[in-house]
Short mmCIF file of all heavy atoms in Angstrom, two decimals:
data_model
loop_
_atom_site.label_atom_id
_atom_site.label_comp_id
_atom_site.label_asym_id
_atom_site.label_seq_id
_atom_site.Cartn_x
_atom_site.Cartn_y
_atom_site.Cartn_z
N MET G 1 0.84 -1.18 0.00
CA MET G 1 0.01 0.00 0.00
C MET G 1 0.88 1.24 0.00
O MET G 1 1.91 1.26 0.67
CB MET G 1 -0.90 -0.01 1.25
CG MET G 1 -1.80 1.21 1.32
SD MET G 1 -2.76 1.38 2.81
CE MET G 1 -3.75 -0.07 2.77
N GLU G 2 0.47 2.22 -0.77
CA GLU G 2 1.23 3.46 -0.82
C GLU G 2 1.18 4.17 0.54
O GLU G 2 0.26 3.96 1.31
CB GLU G 2 0.69 4.38 -1.93
CG GLU G 2 -0.61 5.07 -1.61
CD GLU G 2 -1.89 4.24 -1.77
OE1 GLU G 2 -1.81 3.05 -2.10
OE2 GLU G 2 -2.96 4.81 -1.57
N GLU G 3 2.18 4.97 0.80
CA GLU G 3 2.23 5.72 2.05
C GLU G 3 1.26 6.89 1.98
O GLU G 3 1.39 7.77 1.12
CB GLU G 3 3.66 6.23 2.30
CG GLU G 3 3.82 6.99 3.59
CD GLU G 3 3.60 6.16 4.84
OE1 GLU G 3 3.81 4.91 4.79
OE2 GLU G 3 3.24 6.73 5.87
N ILE G 4 0.26 6.87 2.83
CA ILE G 4 -0.67 8.01 2.88
C ILE G 4 -0.77 8.51 4.30
O ILE G 4 -0.49 7.78 5.25
CB ILE G 4 -2.07 7.63 2.34
CG1 ILE G 4 -2.72 6.53 3.17
CG2 ILE G 4 -2.02 7.25 0.90
CD1 ILE G 4 -4.15 6.24 2.78
N LYS G 5 -1.14 9.74 4.44
CA LYS G 5 -1.25 10.36 5.75
C LYS G 5 -2.49 9.82 6.48
O LYS G 5 -3.47 9.43 5.87
CB LYS G 5 -1.34 11.87 5.62
CG LYS G 5 -0.07 12.46 5.04
CD LYS G 5 0.14 13.86 5.59
CE LYS G 5 1.41 14.46 5.10
NZ LYS G 5 2.56 14.11 5.85
N TYR G 6 -2.41 9.85 7.80
CA TYR G 6 -3.49 9.36 8.66
C TYR G 6 -4.81 10.05 8.31
O TYR G 6 -5.83 9.39 8.16
CB TYR G 6 -3.11 9.62 10.12
CG TYR G 6 -4.15 9.18 11.10
CD1 TYR G 6 -4.21 7.86 11.55
CD2 TYR G 6 -5.10 10.08 11.59
CE1 TYR G 6 -5.18 7.46 12.44
CE2 TYR G 6 -6.07 9.67 12.49
CZ TYR G 6 -6.10 8.37 12.92
OH TYR G 6 -7.06 7.97 13.80
N GLU G 7 -4.79 11.37 8.17
CA GLU G 7 -6.01 12.12 7.92
C GLU G 7 -6.66 11.70 6.59
O GLU G 7 -7.88 11.58 6.50
CB GLU G 7 -5.74 13.65 7.90
CG GLU G 7 -5.34 14.20 9.26
CD GLU G 7 -3.87 13.95 9.65
OE1 GLU G 7 -3.08 13.54 8.78
OE2 GLU G 7 -3.55 14.18 10.82
N LYS G 8 -5.84 11.48 5.57
CA LYS G 8 -6.37 11.06 4.28
C LYS G 8 -6.98 9.66 4.39
O LYS G 8 -8.04 9.39 3.81
CB LYS G 8 -5.27 11.08 3.21
CG LYS G 8 -5.78 10.73 1.84
CD LYS G 8 -4.71 10.80 0.78
CE LYS G 8 -5.30 10.41 -0.57
NZ LYS G 8 -4.31 10.21 -1.58
N ALA G 9 -6.33 8.78 5.12
CA ALA G 9 -6.85 7.42 5.32
C ALA G 9 -8.20 7.47 6.04
O ALA G 9 -9.13 6.77 5.67
CB ALA G 9 -5.86 6.57 6.10
N MET G 10 -8.30 8.33 7.05
CA MET G 10 -9.56 8.45 7.80
C MET G 10 -10.67 8.99 6.90
O MET G 10 -11.80 8.51 6.95
CB MET G 10 -9.38 9.35 9.02
CG MET G 10 -8.61 8.68 10.15
SD MET G 10 -9.39 7.18 10.76
CE MET G 10 -10.94 7.81 11.40
N ARG G 11 -10.35 9.98 6.07
CA ARG G 11 -11.36 10.53 5.15
C ARG G 11 -11.84 9.45 4.18
O ARG G 11 -13.03 9.34 3.87
CB ARG G 11 -10.81 11.73 4.38
CG ARG G 11 -10.82 13.02 5.18
CD ARG G 11 -10.59 14.23 4.31
NE ARG G 11 -9.37 14.18 3.51
CZ ARG G 11 -8.18 14.59 3.93
NH1 ARG G 11 -8.02 15.08 5.13
NH2 ARG G 11 -7.13 14.51 3.13
N GLU G 12 -10.91 8.63 3.69
CA GLU G 12 -11.29 7.58 2.75
C GLU G 12 -12.17 6.53 3.46
O GLU G 12 -13.15 6.05 2.89
CB GLU G 12 -10.05 6.92 2.16
CG GLU G 12 -10.36 5.98 1.02
CD GLU G 12 -9.14 5.42 0.31
OE1 GLU G 12 -8.03 5.99 0.42
OE2 GLU G 12 -9.31 4.41 -0.38
N LEU G 13 -11.82 6.21 4.71
CA LEU G 13 -12.65 5.27 5.47
C LEU G 13 -14.06 5.82 5.69
O LEU G 13 -15.05 5.10 5.54
CB LEU G 13 -12.01 5.00 6.85
CG LEU G 13 -10.95 3.91 6.89
CD1 LEU G 13 -10.23 3.93 8.23
CD2 LEU G 13 -11.57 2.56 6.63
N GLU G 14 -14.14 7.11 6.02
CA GLU G 14 -15.45 7.73 6.20
C GLU G 14 -16.27 7.71 4.92
O GLU G 14 -17.48 7.49 4.94
CB GLU G 14 -15.28 9.17 6.71
CG GLU G 14 -14.74 9.24 8.12
CD GLU G 14 -14.29 10.63 8.54
OE1 GLU G 14 -14.30 11.56 7.70
OE2 GLU G 14 -13.89 10.78 9.71
N ASP G 15 -15.59 7.92 3.79
CA ASP G 15 -16.26 7.88 2.49
C ASP G 15 -16.81 6.48 2.19
O ASP G 15 -17.95 6.33 1.75
CB ASP G 15 -15.29 8.34 1.40
CG ASP G 15 -15.94 8.45 0.04
OD1 ASP G 15 -17.00 9.09 -0.06
OD2 ASP G 15 -15.40 7.88 -0.93
N ILE G 16 -15.99 5.47 2.46
CA ILE G 16 -16.42 4.09 2.24
C ILE G 16 -17.62 3.77 3.12
O ILE G 16 -18.62 3.21 2.67
CB ILE G 16 -15.27 3.10 2.50
CG1 ILE G 16 -14.19 3.23 1.42
CG2 ILE G 16 -15.79 1.65 2.54
CD1 ILE G 16 -12.89 2.49 1.72
N ALA G 17 -17.54 4.16 4.40
CA ALA G 17 -18.65 3.90 5.34
C ALA G 17 -19.93 4.60 4.87
O ALA G 17 -21.02 4.00 4.90
CB ALA G 17 -18.27 4.36 6.76
N ALA G 18 -19.82 5.83 4.43
CA ALA G 18 -21.00 6.58 3.97
C ALA G 18 -21.63 5.91 2.75
O ALA G 18 -22.85 5.78 2.66
CB ALA G 18 -20.61 8.02 3.64
N LYS G 19 -20.80 5.47 1.82
CA LYS G 19 -21.32 4.79 0.63
C LYS G 19 -22.04 3.50 1.00
O LYS G 19 -23.08 3.18 0.44
CB LYS G 19 -20.19 4.49 -0.36
CG LYS G 19 -19.68 5.70 -1.10
CD LYS G 19 -18.56 5.34 -2.03
CE LYS G 19 -18.04 6.58 -2.77
NZ LYS G 19 -16.89 6.26 -3.61
N MET G 20 -21.49 2.77 1.97
CA MET G 20 -22.14 1.51 2.40
C MET G 20 -23.46 1.82 3.09
O MET G 20 -24.46 1.15 2.86
CB MET G 20 -21.20 0.74 3.32
CG MET G 20 -19.97 0.22 2.57
SD MET G 20 -18.89 -0.72 3.61
CE MET G 20 -19.47 -2.35 3.23
N GLU G 21 -23.47 2.83 3.95
CA GLU G 21 -24.69 3.19 4.67
C GLU G 21 -25.79 3.65 3.71
O GLU G 21 -26.97 3.43 3.97
CB GLU G 21 -24.41 4.30 5.69
CG GLU G 21 -23.60 3.82 6.88
CD GLU G 21 -23.18 4.94 7.81
OE1 GLU G 21 -23.50 6.12 7.55
OE2 GLU G 21 -22.53 4.63 8.81
N ASN G 22 -25.41 4.31 2.64
CA ASN G 22 -26.37 4.83 1.67
C ASN G 22 -26.65 3.88 0.51
O ASN G 22 -27.28 4.27 -0.47
CB ASN G 22 -25.88 6.18 1.12
CG ASN G 22 -25.79 7.24 2.19
OD1 ASN G 22 -26.60 7.29 3.10
ND2 ASN G 22 -24.79 8.09 2.10
N ASP G 23 -26.18 2.63 0.65
CA ASP G 23 -26.37 1.63 -0.40
C ASP G 23 -25.92 2.11 -1.77
O ASP G 23 -26.56 1.86 -2.78
CB ASP G 23 -27.85 1.21 -0.48
CG ASP G 23 -28.30 0.47 0.79
OD1 ASP G 23 -27.48 -0.27 1.36
OD2 ASP G 23 -29.46 0.66 1.19
N GLU G 24 -24.77 2.81 -1.80
CA GLU G 24 -24.24 3.33 -3.06
C GLU G 24 -23.32 2.33 -3.76
O GLU G 24 -22.88 2.57 -4.88
CB GLU G 24 -23.48 4.63 -2.82
CG GLU G 24 -24.35 5.78 -2.36
CD GLU G 24 -23.57 7.03 -2.07
OE1 GLU G 24 -22.51 7.25 -2.69
OE2 GLU G 24 -24.02 7.79 -1.20
N LEU G 25 -22.99 1.24 -3.11
CA LEU G 25 -22.08 0.25 -3.68
C LEU G 25 -22.86 -0.94 -4.22
O LEU G 25 -23.75 -1.46 -3.54
CB LEU G 25 -21.08 -0.23 -2.63
CG LEU G 25 -20.19 0.82 -1.99
CD1 LEU G 25 -19.36 0.22 -0.86
CD2 LEU G 25 -19.28 1.47 -3.02
N ASP G 26 -22.49 -1.37 -5.41
CA ASP G 26 -23.12 -2.59 -5.90
C ASP G 26 -22.35 -3.79 -5.37
O ASP G 26 -21.30 -3.67 -4.75
CB ASP G 26 -23.24 -2.59 -7.43
CG ASP G 26 -21.91 -2.63 -8.16
OD1 ASP G 26 -20.94 -3.23 -7.63
OD2 ASP G 26 -21.82 -2.05 -9.25
N ILE G 27 -22.90 -4.97 -5.60
CA ILE G 27 -22.33 -6.18 -5.04
C ILE G 27 -20.88 -6.40 -5.43
O ILE G 27 -20.08 -6.93 -4.66
CB ILE G 27 -23.22 -7.41 -5.39
CG1 ILE G 27 -22.88 -8.61 -4.53
CG2 ILE G 27 -23.11 -7.74 -6.85
CD1 ILE G 27 -23.33 -8.49 -3.11
N ASP G 28 -20.51 -5.97 -6.64
CA ASP G 28 -19.14 -6.15 -7.10
C ASP G 28 -18.18 -5.21 -6.40
O ASP G 28 -17.00 -5.52 -6.28
CB ASP G 28 -19.06 -5.94 -8.62
CG ASP G 28 -19.86 -6.99 -9.38
OD1 ASP G 28 -19.81 -8.17 -8.97
OD2 ASP G 28 -20.53 -6.62 -10.35
N GLU G 29 -18.64 -4.08 -5.95
CA GLU G 29 -17.77 -3.11 -5.29
C GLU G 29 -17.61 -3.36 -3.80
O GLU G 29 -16.61 -2.95 -3.21
CB GLU G 29 -18.34 -1.69 -5.47
CG GLU G 29 -18.36 -1.20 -6.90
CD GLU G 29 -19.06 0.15 -7.03
OE1 GLU G 29 -20.20 0.30 -6.54
OE2 GLU G 29 -18.41 1.05 -7.59
N ILE G 30 -18.58 -4.01 -3.19
CA ILE G 30 -18.56 -4.18 -1.74
C ILE G 30 -17.31 -4.90 -1.27
O ILE G 30 -16.63 -4.46 -0.35
CB ILE G 30 -19.84 -4.90 -1.24
CG1 ILE G 30 -21.03 -3.96 -1.41
CG2 ILE G 30 -19.69 -5.32 0.21
CD1 ILE G 30 -22.37 -4.60 -1.11
N GLY G 31 -16.96 -6.00 -1.91
CA GLY G 31 -15.79 -6.78 -1.49
C GLY G 31 -14.51 -5.96 -1.60
O GLY G 31 -13.70 -5.95 -0.67
N ALA G 32 -14.34 -5.26 -2.71
CA ALA G 32 -13.14 -4.45 -2.91
C ALA G 32 -13.07 -3.32 -1.89
O ALA G 32 -12.01 -3.02 -1.33
CB ALA G 32 -13.11 -3.90 -4.32
N GLN G 33 -14.22 -2.69 -1.61
CA GLN G 33 -14.23 -1.58 -0.66
C GLN G 33 -13.97 -2.07 0.77
O GLN G 33 -13.30 -1.39 1.55
CB GLN G 33 -15.55 -0.82 -0.73
CG GLN G 33 -15.72 -0.04 -2.01
CD GLN G 33 -14.66 1.05 -2.19
OE1 GLN G 33 -14.54 1.92 -1.35
NE2 GLN G 33 -13.89 0.96 -3.24
N LEU G 34 -14.49 -3.24 1.11
CA LEU G 34 -14.23 -3.80 2.44
C LEU G 34 -12.75 -4.13 2.59
O LEU G 34 -12.16 -3.91 3.65
CB LEU G 34 -15.08 -5.03 2.68
CG LEU G 34 -16.54 -4.78 3.02
CD1 LEU G 34 -17.32 -6.09 3.10
CD2 LEU G 34 -16.69 -4.00 4.32
N LYS G 35 -12.14 -4.67 1.56
CA LYS G 35 -10.72 -4.98 1.60
C LYS G 35 -9.90 -3.69 1.77
O LYS G 35 -8.96 -3.64 2.56
CB LYS G 35 -10.28 -5.73 0.34
CG LYS G 35 -8.85 -6.19 0.37
CD LYS G 35 -8.51 -7.06 -0.82
CE LYS G 35 -7.08 -7.53 -0.69
NZ LYS G 35 -6.68 -8.41 -1.78
N ARG G 36 -10.27 -2.65 1.03
CA ARG G 36 -9.59 -1.37 1.13
C ARG G 36 -9.75 -0.79 2.54
O ARG G 36 -8.81 -0.29 3.14
CB ARG G 36 -10.12 -0.38 0.08
CG ARG G 36 -9.50 1.01 0.15
CD ARG G 36 -8.03 0.97 -0.16
NE ARG G 36 -7.50 2.33 -0.17
CZ ARG G 36 -6.23 2.64 -0.09
NH1 ARG G 36 -5.32 1.69 -0.04
NH2 ARG G 36 -5.85 3.88 -0.10
N ALA G 37 -10.96 -0.87 3.08
CA ALA G 37 -11.21 -0.38 4.43
C ALA G 37 -10.34 -1.12 5.44
O ALA G 37 -9.78 -0.50 6.35
CB ALA G 37 -12.69 -0.53 4.79
N GLN G 38 -10.19 -2.42 5.27
CA GLN G 38 -9.36 -3.22 6.17
C GLN G 38 -7.90 -2.74 6.09
O GLN G 38 -7.24 -2.60 7.12
CB GLN G 38 -9.46 -4.70 5.79
CG GLN G 38 -8.69 -5.62 6.69
CD GLN G 38 -8.84 -7.08 6.27
OE1 GLN G 38 -8.94 -7.39 5.08
NE2 GLN G 38 -8.86 -7.96 7.23
N GLN G 39 -7.40 -2.45 4.91
CA GLN G 39 -6.03 -1.94 4.74
C GLN G 39 -5.89 -0.58 5.42
O GLN G 39 -4.89 -0.32 6.08
CB GLN G 39 -5.69 -1.83 3.26
CG GLN G 39 -5.59 -3.14 2.53
CD GLN G 39 -5.48 -2.95 1.02
OE1 GLN G 39 -5.89 -1.93 0.46
NE2 GLN G 39 -4.91 -3.95 0.36
N LEU G 40 -6.88 0.27 5.25
CA LEU G 40 -6.81 1.61 5.83
C LEU G 40 -6.86 1.57 7.34
O LEU G 40 -6.16 2.32 8.03
CB LEU G 40 -7.97 2.48 5.29
CG LEU G 40 -7.87 2.83 3.82
CD1 LEU G 40 -9.19 3.39 3.32
CD2 LEU G 40 -6.74 3.82 3.56
N ILE G 41 -7.67 0.68 7.89
CA ILE G 41 -7.76 0.52 9.36
C ILE G 41 -6.42 0.07 9.90
O ILE G 41 -5.94 0.59 10.92
CB ILE G 41 -8.89 -0.46 9.74
CG1 ILE G 41 -10.23 0.19 9.45
CG2 ILE G 41 -8.78 -0.87 11.20
CD1 ILE G 41 -11.41 -0.78 9.49
N LYS G 42 -5.78 -0.88 9.24
CA LYS G 42 -4.46 -1.34 9.69
C LYS G 42 -3.44 -0.21 9.62
O LYS G 42 -2.67 0.00 10.55
CB LYS G 42 -3.99 -2.53 8.85
CG LYS G 42 -2.61 -3.04 9.30
CD LYS G 42 -2.14 -4.20 8.46
CE LYS G 42 -0.82 -4.78 8.89
NZ LYS G 42 0.13 -3.96 9.55
N LEU G 43 -3.47 0.56 8.53
CA LEU G 43 -2.54 1.68 8.38
C LEU G 43 -2.74 2.68 9.53
O LEU G 43 -1.76 3.11 10.15
CB LEU G 43 -2.79 2.36 7.03
CG LEU G 43 -1.90 3.55 6.71
CD1 LEU G 43 -1.51 3.53 5.24
CD2 LEU G 43 -2.55 4.86 7.06
N CYS G 44 -3.98 3.02 9.81
CA CYS G 44 -4.26 4.00 10.88
C CYS G 44 -3.82 3.44 12.24
O CYS G 44 -3.22 4.16 13.04
CB CYS G 44 -5.74 4.35 10.90
SG CYS G 44 -6.26 5.34 9.50
N LYS G 45 -4.12 2.20 12.48
CA LYS G 45 -3.73 1.57 13.75
C LYS G 45 -2.21 1.57 13.90
O LYS G 45 -1.67 1.90 14.96
CB LYS G 45 -4.28 0.13 13.82
CG LYS G 45 -3.99 -0.56 15.12
CD LYS G 45 -4.59 -1.96 15.11
CE LYS G 45 -4.18 -2.72 16.36
NZ LYS G 45 -4.64 -4.09 16.36
N ASP G 46 -1.50 1.22 12.84
CA ASP G 46 -0.04 1.19 12.88
C ASP G 46 0.53 2.58 13.15
O ASP G 46 1.47 2.76 13.91
CB ASP G 46 0.54 0.63 11.58
CG ASP G 46 0.28 -0.86 11.41
OD1 ASP G 46 -0.15 -1.52 12.39
OD2 ASP G 46 0.49 -1.36 10.29
N LYS G 47 -0.06 3.61 12.52
CA LYS G 47 0.42 4.98 12.70
C LYS G 47 0.16 5.43 14.14
O LYS G 47 1.00 6.09 14.74
CB LYS G 47 -0.25 5.93 11.72
CG LYS G 47 0.32 5.81 10.31
CD LYS G 47 -0.28 6.86 9.38
CE LYS G 47 0.27 6.72 7.98
NZ LYS G 47 1.60 7.24 7.82
N LEU G 48 -0.99 5.09 14.69
CA LEU G 48 -1.29 5.46 16.07
C LEU G 48 -0.36 4.76 17.05
O LEU G 48 0.11 5.37 18.01
CB LEU G 48 -2.75 5.13 16.40
CG LEU G 48 -3.79 6.02 15.74
CD1 LEU G 48 -5.18 5.46 15.99
CD2 LEU G 48 -3.68 7.45 16.23
N THR G 49 -0.07 3.49 16.81
CA THR G 49 0.84 2.74 17.67
C THR G 49 2.24 3.35 17.61
O THR G 49 2.88 3.53 18.65
CB THR G 49 0.88 1.26 17.25
OG1 THR G 49 -0.44 0.72 17.36
CG2 THR G 49 1.84 0.46 18.11
N LYS G 50 2.70 3.68 16.41
CA LYS G 50 4.03 4.28 16.26
C LYS G 50 4.10 5.63 16.98
O LYS G 50 5.08 5.91 17.68
CB LYS G 50 4.34 4.45 14.77
CG LYS G 50 5.69 5.07 14.51
CD LYS G 50 5.93 5.27 13.01
CE LYS G 50 7.23 6.00 12.78
NZ LYS G 50 7.38 6.47 11.43
N THR G 51 3.08 6.44 16.80
CA THR G 51 3.07 7.75 17.44
C THR G 51 3.04 7.61 18.96
O THR G 51 3.74 8.34 19.67
CB THR G 51 1.85 8.57 16.96
OG1 THR G 51 1.96 8.71 15.54
CG2 THR G 51 1.81 9.94 17.60
N ASP G 52 2.26 6.67 19.46
CA ASP G 52 2.18 6.42 20.90
C ASP G 52 3.56 6.05 21.45
O ASP G 52 3.97 6.56 22.50
CB ASP G 52 1.17 5.31 21.18
CG ASP G 52 0.99 5.05 22.67
OD1 ASP G 52 0.68 6.02 23.39
OD2 ASP G 52 1.16 3.90 23.09
N LYS G 53 4.27 5.18 20.76
CA LYS G 53 5.62 4.78 21.21
C LYS G 53 6.57 5.97 21.19
O LYS G 53 7.38 6.13 22.11
CB LYS G 53 6.15 3.66 20.31
CG LYS G 53 5.49 2.32 20.55
CD LYS G 53 6.04 1.25 19.61
CE LYS G 53 5.30 -0.05 19.80
NZ LYS G 53 5.74 -1.08 18.86
N GLU G 54 6.47 6.80 20.15
CA GLU G 54 7.34 7.98 20.06
C GLU G 54 7.07 8.95 21.20
O GLU G 54 8.01 9.49 21.82
CB GLU G 54 7.15 8.69 18.72
CG GLU G 54 7.69 7.90 17.54
CD GLU G 54 7.32 8.49 16.19
OE1 GLU G 54 6.51 9.45 16.13
OE2 GLU G 54 7.83 8.00 15.18
N ILE G 55 5.80 9.15 21.53
CA ILE G 55 5.45 10.07 22.63
C ILE G 55 5.95 9.51 23.96
O ILE G 55 6.52 10.26 24.76
CB ILE G 55 3.91 10.29 22.66
CG1 ILE G 55 3.50 11.11 21.45
CG2 ILE G 55 3.49 10.99 23.96
CD1 ILE G 55 2.00 11.20 21.23
N LYS G 56 5.76 8.22 24.18
CA LYS G 56 6.25 7.62 25.45
C LYS G 56 7.76 7.74 25.56
O LYS G 56 8.27 8.02 26.63
CB LYS G 56 5.82 6.16 25.52
CG LYS G 56 4.33 5.99 25.82
CD LYS G 56 3.93 4.54 25.87
CE LYS G 56 2.44 4.43 26.15
NZ LYS G 56 1.97 3.06 26.13
N ALA G 57 8.48 7.55 24.46
CA ALA G 57 9.95 7.66 24.46
C ALA G 57 10.36 9.08 24.82
O ALA G 57 11.30 9.31 25.59
CB ALA G 57 10.53 7.24 23.13
N ILE G 58 9.67 10.07 24.25
CA ILE G 58 9.99 11.47 24.53
C ILE G 58 9.73 11.79 25.99
O ILE G 58 10.54 12.44 26.66
CB ILE G 58 9.17 12.41 23.61
CG1 ILE G 58 9.67 12.27 22.18
CG2 ILE G 58 9.24 13.86 24.07
CD1 ILE G 58 8.75 12.92 21.14
N LEU G 59 8.61 11.33 26.52
CA LEU G 59 8.26 11.62 27.91
C LEU G 59 9.22 10.93 28.88
O LEU G 59 9.49 11.46 29.95
CB LEU G 59 6.82 11.19 28.19
CG LEU G 59 5.74 12.01 27.47
CD1 LEU G 59 4.37 11.44 27.73
CD2 LEU G 59 5.81 13.49 27.85
N GLU G 60 9.73 9.76 28.51
CA GLU G 60 10.67 9.04 29.37
C GLU G 60 12.02 9.74 29.43
O GLU G 60 12.77 9.60 30.40
CB GLU G 60 10.83 7.60 28.91
CG GLU G 60 9.62 6.75 29.19
CD GLU G 60 9.72 5.33 28.63
OE1 GLU G 60 10.77 5.01 28.01
OE2 GLU G 60 8.76 4.61 28.79
N GLU G 61 12.35 10.51 28.39
CA GLU G 61 13.63 11.23 28.36
C GLU G 61 13.68 12.37 29.37
O GLU G 61 14.74 12.76 29.81
CB GLU G 61 13.88 11.80 26.96
CG GLU G 61 14.17 10.74 25.92
CD GLU G 61 14.32 11.33 24.53
OE1 GLU G 61 14.25 12.55 24.36
OE2 GLU G 61 14.47 10.53 23.60
N GLU G 62 12.52 12.88 29.74
CA GLU G 62 12.47 14.05 30.63
C GLU G 62 12.77 13.67 32.06
O GLU G 62 12.58 12.70 32.59
CB GLU G 62 11.13 14.75 30.54
CG GLU G 62 10.93 15.38 29.19
CD GLU G 62 9.60 16.11 29.09
OE1 GLU G 62 8.88 16.20 30.08
OE2 GLU G 62 9.32 16.59 27.99
#
C-alpha cells in the first residue's frame, strides 16, 4: 500500500462507510471496498501505535 497520511486514510474510510450506509455500492464493489477499508484501518492503527511509542519515548527522556 502506498504511504498516505493518517487524515487522508480516515477521510477515505469515512467515504467508504458513507457509501455503504447509503447503499451506493453494488455487489461487485462491496468486497473491494471492504478490503480497502481493512487496509486503511491497519494503516491507521499502525500509525497510532508508532506515534504512541514515540510520545512515550519522549516523555521518558524528561
